[in-house]
Every structure is written in C-alpha cells, then in structure tokens.
Amino acid sequence: MELHDVWFVLIAVLWIGYFFLEGFDFGIGVLTRLLARDRAEKRVLINTIGPVWDGNEVWLLSAGGATFAAFPEWYATLFSGFYLPLLLILVCLIVRGVAFEYRAKRPEESWQRNWESAIFWSSLLPAFLWGVAFGNIVRGVKIDRDMEYVGNLWDLLNPYAILGGLVTLTLFTFHGAVFAALKTLGDIRERARNLALRLGVVTAVLALVFLGWTQADKGDSTSLAALIVAVVALVAAIGANQAGREGWAFALSGITIVAAVAMLFLTLFPNVMPSSLNDDWSLTVTNASSSPYTLKIMTWCAVIATPIVVVYQAWTYWVFRKRIGTQHIAEPVH
C-alpha cells in the first residue's frame, strides 16, 4: 500500500471519529428544542456535552489539516467549490461555541432564549450540511481538466445530496437522543428513550434509501458489507434503546455512523473527488496527493501524536462519565 493510500484511510478515520463524536453533540443541540421542556432541562442537556464538545471538534481540525497537507489538490478544489456551504458550517460552529459560553452570562430571559435558539440552529444546520457536502463528494461534481470546480451552488442542491443531509441530520439527532438517555436521570431520560425510538425509525428509512442508492450507483462487495453492518447496527440500536440498554444503544448507533461513513469512503476510493463531467478529470489519491517525502513526515507525526490525543480524550470522557439530572442544576449566579 502506497503512502497516499494510507493517508486516504487515515483521513477517512478522522472523519469517522468526527462524525461519531460531534454527531451526538449536534444531536444534543437539536434536542434542546425537541426534548427539553424548560430551561433546567436545557441546561441538563447542554451540560452532558459541556466538558467534551470542544475536544470533539479537534477531529474536524485534524481532518481538514490532514487533507490540506496530504491532498492539497483535493483541499483546494473542495474548499473553493463548496465555499458557501463550508463557510456557513464554520460560522455555525463559531456561533455554537460562543452560545455555549455566553448563554448563562446574563439573567435576562431574552438573552438566554436567543442564545438557546443559536445553539439549536447552529447544531441543526451543520448536521444537515455535512450530509449534503459528502453526498456531493460521493456523487461527483463538475470538475474540469484543471481540477477546478466549475459548477454553482444550485448544482450542490440535488436530490441525492439533500437526502444525504436528511440522513445525517436524523442520524445525529438519534445518536444525540441515545446519548441523552445514557447521560441523564429522571423523566428526561425516559422521554429521550421514547424520542429515540421515533427518530430511529425515521432514520432507518432514510438511511436505507440513501445507502441503497449509493450502493446501486457506485458500490461493490466491500461497500455492501459496510451497508449491511450500518443497517443491522441501527436496527439493533433501536432495539437496545427500547430494552433500556442505553450503553449498548449508544455503541450501536456509533457503529452505524462508523459503517455508513466508511461505506461512503469505500465507494470513493481511489477517487477523492469524482468529476461528473469526465472520469479522467476526477481527483484521485494519486493526482491530488503531496510528495512522498511530505507524506512520510506526516506519517511519523501522526504515529507520535495520535495516540496521545486519543488517550487524553478517552480520559476526559471517563472523568465526566456520570449521569446528571435537573436536581444537579444549581441556581445561576450573575
């Protein structure tokens, strides 16, 4: 296996890690409006991800940085062609982080309500737009012989990509509902489980259509195996949730995300960004990669740094592993 193949796999792993971890972050943000009945319950939901949400975003930074260094042509074409959607995602992530920090800084009802609305929308929009972006990457976009995107914004809003956005939105929200059931106590825990059942059924239908469409259009035997794992894991997650096995339900919903994202990357390889105009103009792991020397240096850096980051983040989750409920929410002090 060549180094550019290795880095394609590593970038896929980084995106899988990001969607696994940030997926329930986005889901919790959406659930602040769908699940929480009052401000105390919203604070419970936000506190379930309070210690970890910013660490989860490290995976996005790593995926973007690795793409820039390992596949500069892919990075350039992706970020220029998808400029507006990716800019909107970036703005949402900035607003979301500010909202988490500033929501409780003042006691006025309007102040807190506005920041809570910001958390909801800045979680919902990226959850949808990431699916649209990856749907277009897998489907193929208008790339010319100079490796430049020559389409427009409306070309990105095609039925396949929009369906992909709906899948990521519902899947992340389901993942968040399962996480909420795992991390909370009392009535909100029971309602999270009931909501997860309804979300799981909707997600299963949408995911089966989207992944089946992907398999029929671009799949092979390996992507079919990933599709089967994703569907079986999702159904099992719904069952575990109904049985009150929140830990298993969360692990299985995570496996669903892992298998689904892996399937998308399996259908891509050896392309990294297919051209819908001419297959010969597609960006591949070969023509879009950096020099072998650059990839070699990056590999050594990844070997040293990645285990440290993973161990530290796992330790963080272990420290903040206990459940919380409204009884743990203190009165705000301003």
Side-chain angles (χ1 to χ4, degrees):
M1 181 181 287
E2 299 289 337
L3 278 180
H4 50 64
D5 298 330
V6 172
W7 273 97
F8 179 86
V9 174
L10 291 177
I11 288 171
V13 170
L14 290 172
W15 280 110
I16 288 171
Y18 174 66
F19 288 138
F20 180 98
L21 296 172
E22 192 81 333
F24 68 77
D25 269 9
F26 289 143
I28 291 294
V30 174
L31 292 174
T32 57
R33 180 164 294 185
L34 299 184
L35 179 62
R37 290 177 173 173
D38 53 33
R39 178 143 296 123
E41 290 190 350
K42 290 182 180 179
R43 290 177 64 189
V44 167
L45 290 176
I46 293 171
N47 286 355
T48 62
I49 61 172
V52 298
W53 67 267
D54 48 354
N56 294 343
E57 292 186 355
V58 170
W59 290 78
L60 173 61
L61 299 176
S62 299
T67 304
F68 172 76
F71 299 100
E73 294 290 351
W74 183 13
Y75 183 93
T77 303
L78 176 64
F79 279 79
S80 59
F82 292 19
Y83 181 81
L84 288 178
L86 294 179
L87 177 62
L88 181 56
I89 290 174
L90 177 60
V91 171
C92 285
L93 295 180
I94 293 172
V95 170
R96 190 166 171 267
V98 173
F100 283 141
E101 298 297 330
Y102 278 78
R103 176 188 54 84
K105 295 298 184 183
R106 290 173 56 178
E108 291 88 350
E109 172 71 19
S110 59
W111 173 273
Q112 296 193 12
R113 185 176 61 250
N114 289 337
W115 283 120
E116 288 163 359
S117 295
I119 291 173
F120 171 77
W121 288 109
S122 61
S123 299
L124 185 148
L125 288 175
F128 174 74
L129 290 174
W130 279 126
V132 173
F134 271 83
N136 278 293
I137 291 173
V138 172
R139 173 179 175 268
V141 292
K142 295 179 178 179
I143 299 175
D144 64 12
R145 66 172 69 249
D146 297 321
M147 299 184 179
E148 294 182 0
Y149 177 71
V150 293
N152 55 51
L153 177 62
W154 302 111
D155 292 327
L156 303 179
L157 300 178
N158 55 80
Y160 176 80
I162 291 174
L163 178 59
L166 293 175
V167 169
T168 52
L169 174 58
T170 55
L171 179 56
F172 291 168
T173 308
F174 169 72
H175 195 41
V178 172
F179 181 76
L182 176 64
K183 289 287 292 179
T184 58
L185 294 167
D187 181 57
I188 191 172
R189 175 186 176 189
E190 295 301 319
R191 285 188 282 112
R193 285 171 52 190
N194 293 333
L195 180 58
L197 172 62
R198 300 194 294 273
L199 288 168
V201 172
V202 174
T203 302
V205 173
L206 293 174
L208 187 58
V209 174
F210 177 72
L211 296 180
W213 188 348
T214 305
Q215 176 65 27
D217 190 35
K218 295 179 176 293
D220 56 18
S221 58
T222 56
S223 62
L224 178 61
L227 185 156
I228 293 172
V229 171
V231 172
V232 171
L234 180 55
V235 173
I238 297 171
N241 173 74
Q242 283 305 100
R245 304 295 297 272
E246 289 103 342
W248 279 105
F250 178 71
L252 288 164
S253 67
I255 291 173
T256 302
I257 294 175
V258 170
V261 179
M263 178 190 174
L264 297 183
F265 277 94
L266 286 169
T267 59
L268 263 181
F269 187 81
N271 294 322
V272 294
M273 206 166 177
S275 172
S276 60
L277 299 178
N278 189 324
D279 288 341
D280 293 335
W281 298 344
S282 297
L283 302 183
T284 68
V285 293
T286 304
N287 65 20
S289 69
S290 293
S291 68
Y293 182 70
T294 299
L295 296 178
K296 184 177 180 180
I297 294 175
M298 290 176 59
T299 302
W300 280 110
C301 292
V303 167
I304 295 170
T306 302
I308 298 173
V309 174
V310 171
V311 170
Y312 174 77
Q313 194 162 20
W315 176 78
T316 303
Y317 276 91
W318 174 255
V319 170
F320 295 100
R321 66 189 180 278
K322 293 185 178 180
R323 296 176 184 268
I324 62 173
T326 53
Q327 65 269 32
H328 299 123
I329 302 299
E331 289 297 321
V333 178
H334 298 280

